[in-house]
């Protein structure tokens, strides 16, 4: 059965009131569409955690920089709806930009957790992410919302925002879903040329190599980061945005892997920016 599509805040709130009145819990998965199996895994997690699943599809302009890919970001609502028939999603919330931002003057600012990794390279990005996520949580009022671990910094920032602002939604972070060759699933993978797509799995291979080095006893972050960059630079036509090892909780730089840590990378293959990460223990 295909989920119904609602385009207005009033319509989704009416649905939410009806669901809550029936005593059912709501699971929510916010997306920007171009759905793939990674998104469907999040939806299935929401199914396990709740009794009524809502998926939002909204390409949020406030999290894109002026030279980023907002205008060409893939949009195919009909196909996304078809993909969601593989799940028990009952409602798609697909508002317009005008519906979400009629005349907005208020934004959610991020401190500390946004100071490293993607934050300095994408000014305003996490302000846009937090603002739209908070709006969506206020609109949908879910009992649980599910995010993916591939966007590790986003997951930590959203989790902290919900805690700090006392939002009554439980955040669940699901593991990264990968292609058979290890490439993290992403809507942007469709931008890759055939050649770049063949090379892209080496990004995760680089991260796994660093994990192996840690497990074998290497703990010096400078050495590990140099090794990570060296491996990545063996990939033809790849440009490194960052390749960093940070504290797993605070995302701040560390000198030694003597606590839970995260190895995170952002790279360009051609004009396509890809991110990935692996936890170091």
């Amino acid at each position: 059965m295909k989920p119904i599509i609602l385009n207005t805040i009033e319509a989704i709130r009416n649905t939410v009131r009806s669901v809550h009145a029936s005593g059912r819990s709501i699971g929510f998965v916010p997306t920007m569409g171009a759905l793939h199996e990674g998104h469907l895994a999040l939806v299935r997690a929401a199914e396990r955690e709740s009794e009524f699943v809502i998926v939002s599809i909204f390409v949020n302009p406030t999290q894109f920089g002026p030279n980023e890919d907002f205008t060409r970001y893939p949009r195919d609502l009909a196909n996304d709806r078809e993909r969601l028939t593989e799940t028990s999603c009952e409602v798609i919330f697909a508002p317009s930009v005008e519906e979400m931002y009629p005349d907005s003057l208020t934004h959610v600012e991020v401190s500390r957790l946004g100071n490293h990794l993607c934050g300095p390279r994408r000014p305003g990005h996490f302000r846009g992410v937090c603002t739209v996520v908070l709006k969506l949580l206020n609109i949908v009022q879910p009992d649980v919302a599910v995010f993916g671990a591939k966007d590790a910094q986003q997951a930590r920032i959203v989790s902290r925002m919900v805690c700090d602002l006392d939002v009554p939604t439980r955040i669940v972070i699901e593991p990264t879903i990968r292609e058979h060759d290890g490439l993290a699933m992403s809507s942007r993978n469709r931008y890759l040329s055939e050649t770049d797509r063949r090379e892209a799995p080496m990004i995760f291979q680089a991260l796994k190599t660093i994990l192996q080095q840690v497990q074998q006893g290497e703990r010096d972050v400078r050495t590990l980061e140099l090794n990570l960059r060296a491996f990545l630079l063996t990939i033809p036509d790849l440009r490194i945005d960052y390749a960093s090892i940070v504290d797993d909780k605070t995302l701040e730089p560390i000198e030694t892997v003597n606590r839970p840590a995260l190895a995170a990378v952002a790279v360009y293959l051609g004009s396509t920016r890809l991110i990935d990460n692996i936890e170091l223990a």
Side-chain angles (χ1 to χ4, degrees):
M1 181 177 177
K2 291 183 180 180
I4 64 171
I5 298 174
L6 301 178
N7 304 114
T8 68
I9 293 172
E10 180 182 9
I12 194 71
R13 280 182 167 163
N14 287 338
T15 296
V16 166
R17 278 193 290 268
S18 176
V19 174
H20 280 155
S22 71
R24 288 175 291 174
S25 59
I26 294 177
F28 177 51
V29 181
T31 81
M32 294 205 299
L35 302 184
H36 49 69
E37 187 56 40
H39 293 112
L40 299 189
L42 302 183
V43 177
R44 294 185 183 110
E47 293 172 5
R48 296 191 298 270
E49 299 283 346
S50 66
E51 298 162 299
F52 189 96
V53 176
I54 298 173
V55 173
S56 66
I57 296 177
F58 178 64
V59 183
N60 176 40
T62 66
Q63 68 189 69
F64 288 81
N67 298 315
E68 295 183 345
D69 58 346
F70 173 70
T71 56
R72 72 184 186 108
Y73 196 88
R75 295 163 171 85
D76 191 345
L77 183 57
N79 185 65
D80 289 340
R81 187 186 189 195
E82 193 65 35
R83 292 299 311 267
L84 286 170
T85 62
E86 303 172 34
T87 74
S88 63
C89 172
E90 298 194 50
V91 173
I92 297 171
F93 179 44
S96 65
V97 173
E98 293 73 23
E99 182 72 10
M100 288 296 288
Y101 299 110
D103 187 22
S104 295
L105 299 176
T106 303
H107 304 276
V108 180
E109 291 288 349
V110 177
S111 62
R112 294 174 55 186
L113 284 173
N115 289 348
H116 307 287
L117 304 179
C118 286
R121 293 159 175 82
R122 304 185 69 187
H125 171 70
F126 288 117
R127 183 179 78 162
V129 168
C130 284
T131 300
V132 75
V133 169
L134 184 59
K135 285 175 68 71
L136 288 168
L137 294 179
N138 284 333
I139 292 165
V140 177
Q141 298 179 15
D143 297 275
V144 59
V146 184
F147 294 81
K150 178 179 73 70
D151 298 296
Q153 189 170 20
Q154 172 181 283
R156 284 157 178 75
I157 286 173
V158 167
S159 296
R160 185 57 188 260
M161 176 191 74
V162 165
C163 177
D164 287 348
L165 300 184
D166 301 307
V167 179
T169 298
R170 180 164 56 91
I171 302 299
V172 172
I173 309 301
E174 285 291 300
T176 301
I177 303 299
R178 299 183 180 276
E179 302 286 357
H180 69 279
D181 55 11
L183 176 63
M185 289 189 177
S186 169
S187 299
R188 288 185 169 91
N189 289 349
R190 66 185 66 192
Y191 296 158
L192 295 170
S193 68
E194 290 185 13
T195 299
D196 289 338
R197 176 61 186 83
R198 287 194 298 270
E199 303 291 349
M202 293 178 66
I203 299 168
F204 187 49
Q205 291 177 27
L207 289 167
K208 289 194 296 183
T209 297
I210 296 307
L211 173 60
Q212 184 179 41
Q213 291 177 8
V214 170
Q215 292 172 337
Q216 292 173 346
E218 180 59 71
R219 298 286 167 168
D220 181 69
V221 167
R222 177 173 171 77
T223 298
L224 291 167
E225 287 182 343
L226 287 172
N227 292 346
L228 177 57
R229 294 180 66 89
F231 191 118
L232 290 170
L233 290 174
T234 67
I235 304 173
D237 301 321
L238 179 140
R239 293 181 293 118
I240 297 174
D241 190 358
Y242 64 78
S244 302
I245 295 172
V246 296
D247 183 279
D248 188 64
K249 182 178 180 180
T250 68
L251 304 182
E252 294 180 353
I254 57 177
E255 295 182 356
T256 305
V257 182
N258 56 5
R259 71 196 84 166
L262 185 78
V265 301
V267 301
Y268 288 91
L269 277 178
S271 60
T272 304
R273 188 177 187 269
L274 301 175
I275 62 172
D276 204 350
N277 64 82
I278 196 168
E279 292 184 351
L280 306 177

